[in-house]
Amino acid sequence: MTRTSPDPGLDQSAPARESRPTGRPTALLARPAVSDRQHVPGAPAETRRQLLVKVCWMLLWMFYLVYPIEDLASGRHGTVGTVLGALALAGFLGGYLSLVIFRSMGGDWWRGTYPMVAVMLGLALATSFGLGGEWLGLFTYLSVAVGAVLPPRFAMAGVLTATGLLLVVALLLHTKSDELGALVLPTFLSGAAMTGLQRLVHTMRELREAREVAAHLAAAEERLRLARDMHDLLGHSLSLITLKSELAGRFMDAGKDEQARSQVADIEQVARQSLTDVRSAITGYRKPSLSVELAAARTALATTGVTLEAPSTLTEEHPGLGGAEAETLAWALREAVTNVVRHAEGATLCTVALDETWDGDGARFAVLEVADNGRGPGKSAPGNGLTGLDERLALVGGRLETAPGRHGKGFAVRAMVPLGLAAARRP
């Protein structure tokens, strides 16, 4: 028997490479979501189209069942043996597909998971002993299934057990030594690759959950800060207004109208000052920032199926970048992302980067670049959004540049604002 096997180190979005002439498929049982426009490992399939794409991708690896099919087609098992073998092969394939479908739609756990794996094990043993060594390839599918369905701490032990069973059965069937290596090694590597992929999926899922928790904590901290500031601003003012109101009432009861009017005037002055303080505080909260706009951009782009790529240092404080300039860059990020959401047809990726550059006059600028991989603007003129952004940048001494994206595909927006002396003096 001569086998061919794909590279076990495959992912869930691209075909595996052909490697050494050894063994078996690494069809996927992990739980990636194949969205309409991007692949998000660890998320369940939410639509029939996503599930169909996943099943079709997995069915590519069923090509390696050609060996037992050829064995059945040879006719050497007789009519009864051929029919039983075909039923066993169909049952094995049906169990494999069931694991893929139910885990894709229902999450990691399905109560029929372990019974289905047990059925697959029984069919692999029965066909190998009953029909011959051509059916030993089913153990590779079994190894992949075990690596996918078992908890991470038991997955590798399950893969080793499946590989050990294959070795024992192959020895009992007096399999040749050269064929033995072509069976055992791919079986182990395929299962091990699946365990690694499962760990990666779990890690990515934990990272997404951690990001959501961080966002909730940031929102809670912002609400707490707002409540604290409002208490500090209004607590003293309202207490003073209460006391002066009581005092004005006493003066009125005593017939001291002038003193009462004086207290009312003080109340009006305190109230106006409190209103001014509150407006000033709220204005500070309403100012956009790169960190807030980046989080909003990630959410907005995700709803349209566009992946946002941005360095983690983007939200850090940039030396020499003043408050007005930083606020303007935040507005630029908002407008550029809105432009991608509305006009970037066919885009699947949006990149955001912040860098520094010198201009021809020796001034140093911070440059925020937002680029997508869509179809580009074509011959259309800049809209009101980009025109308004250019005017906003001009107010702080900056400028706006637009150009085709990388490799001439998509659209790129570059917002430039001047940096202060602290940045210009850096080597």
Side-chain angles (χ1 to χ4, degrees):
M1 293 183 294
T2 302
R3 314 288 190 203
T4 56
S5 172
D7 188 345
L10 52 88
D11 60 24
Q12 294 167 311
S13 60
R17 300 167 300 180
E18 290 293 331
S19 67
R20 61 183 63 85
T22 51
R24 300 290 177 259
T26 352
L28 301 177
L29 284 175
R31 209 171 56 91
V34 185
S35 68
D36 292 342
R37 302 178 67 177
Q38 62 180 339
H39 299 277
V40 184
E46 297 178 352
T47 65
R48 291 182 179 180
R49 179 181 177 183
Q50 294 174 0
L51 181 61
L52 180 61
V53 170
K54 180 180 178 69
V55 172
C56 289
W57 167 244
M58 184 275 304
L59 284 176
L60 292 176
W61 306 111
M62 295 301 104
F63 170 81
Y64 293 93
L65 292 177
V66 65
Y67 303 109
I69 293 176
E70 287 180 349
D71 183 57
L72 290 176
S74 66
R76 64 189 183 91
H77 300 295
T79 303
V80 176
T82 301
V83 171
L84 292 178
L87 292 176
L89 184 60
F92 188 90
L93 180 58
Y96 199 83
L97 286 172
S98 298
L99 289 178
V100 173
I101 293 173
F102 283 103
R103 283 173 57 82
S104 296
M105 298 301 293
D108 282 342
W109 177 247
W110 171 50
R111 59 183 178 182
T113 295
Y114 293 152
M116 191 60 66
V117 172
V119 170
M120 292 172 61
L121 172 61
L123 291 175
L125 291 172
T127 52
S128 297
F129 283 117
L131 301 176
E134 292 291 338
W135 295 76
L136 290 173
L138 298 184
F139 280 93
T140 303
Y141 292 93
L142 178 65
S143 176
V144 173
V146 168
V149 303
L150 288 181
R153 64 180 182 273
F154 300 129
M156 185 56 68
V159 170
L160 289 172
T161 301
T163 306
L165 283 175
L166 168 64
L167 179 61
V168 171
V169 174
L171 291 176
L172 292 176
L173 295 177
H174 306 289
T175 305
K176 297 179 181 179
S177 57
D178 56 338
E179 295 179 353
L180 192 61
L183 288 167
V184 174
L185 185 61
T187 299
F188 172 73
L189 292 180
S190 298
M194 181 53 63
T195 60
L197 186 61
Q198 284 295 95
R199 290 180 183 273
L200 176 62
V201 167
H202 284 290
T203 301
M204 294 182 66
R205 190 178 306 153
E206 291 174 356
L207 288 176
R208 284 199 299 273
E209 293 174 354
R211 178 184 296 174
E212 293 176 358
V213 171
H216 286 301
L217 290 176
E221 178 65 23
E222 195 71 6
R223 287 193 294 268
L224 180 61
R225 187 163 70 94
L226 178 60
R228 183 171 58 248
D229 289 351
M230 291 300 101
H231 177 271
D232 294 340
L233 287 172
L234 298 178
H236 173 74
S237 300
L238 293 177
S239 298
L240 185 58
I241 289 173
T242 301
L243 293 175
K244 285 187 171 292
S245 298
E246 293 176 354
L247 186 58
R250 293 176 183 174
F251 283 144
M252 292 177 65
D253 293 340
K256 300 178 179 180
D257 295 340
E258 290 298 328
Q259 290 87 340
R261 289 191 185 95
S262 176
Q263 297 300 323
V264 172
D266 291 343
I267 291 173
E268 180 182 359
Q269 182 180 359
V270 172
R272 290 183 182 276
Q273 184 60 43
S274 299
L275 181 59
T276 301
D277 294 341
V278 170
R279 285 176 176 173
S280 177
I282 295 300
T283 300
Y285 277 97
R286 288 179 177 176
K287 288 181 179 180
S289 64
L290 283 175
S291 58
V292 173
E293 293 303 324
L294 187 63
R298 194 180 302 276
T299 302
L301 291 171
T303 60
T304 60
V306 179
T307 301
L308 177 65
E309 288 188 358
S312 58
T313 56
L314 186 66
T315 58
E316 298 177 359
E317 183 178 354
H318 199 82
L321 189 61
E325 289 77 8
E327 180 182 346
T328 303
L329 286 184
W331 282 111
L333 177 58
R334 177 186 297 184
E335 179 57 38
V337 170
T338 302
N339 192 61
V340 173
V341 172
R342 291 180 178 177
H343 306 297
E345 297 182 5
T348 59
L349 178 67
C350 178
T351 58
V352 180
L354 182 62
D355 203 352
E356 297 181 8
T357 186
W358 295 91
D359 69 353
D361 298 329
R364 196 165 184 82
F365 284 79
V367 183
L368 177 72
E369 181 178 84
V370 181
D372 63 78
N373 63 345
R375 298 178 182 176
K379 298 181 180 181
S380 61
N384 294 329
L386 293 181
T387 301
L389 179 57
D390 192 12
E391 296 172 353
R392 186 186 295 272
L393 288 167
L395 293 177
V396 294
R399 63 180 183 269
L400 180 69
E401 297 179 354
T402 59
R406 297 178 181 177
H407 310 294
K409 186 177 181 181
F411 187 65
V413 174
R414 301 176 78 239
M416 306 175 63
V417 295
L419 287 171
L421 295 177
R425 290 172 179 168
R426 290 188 305 161

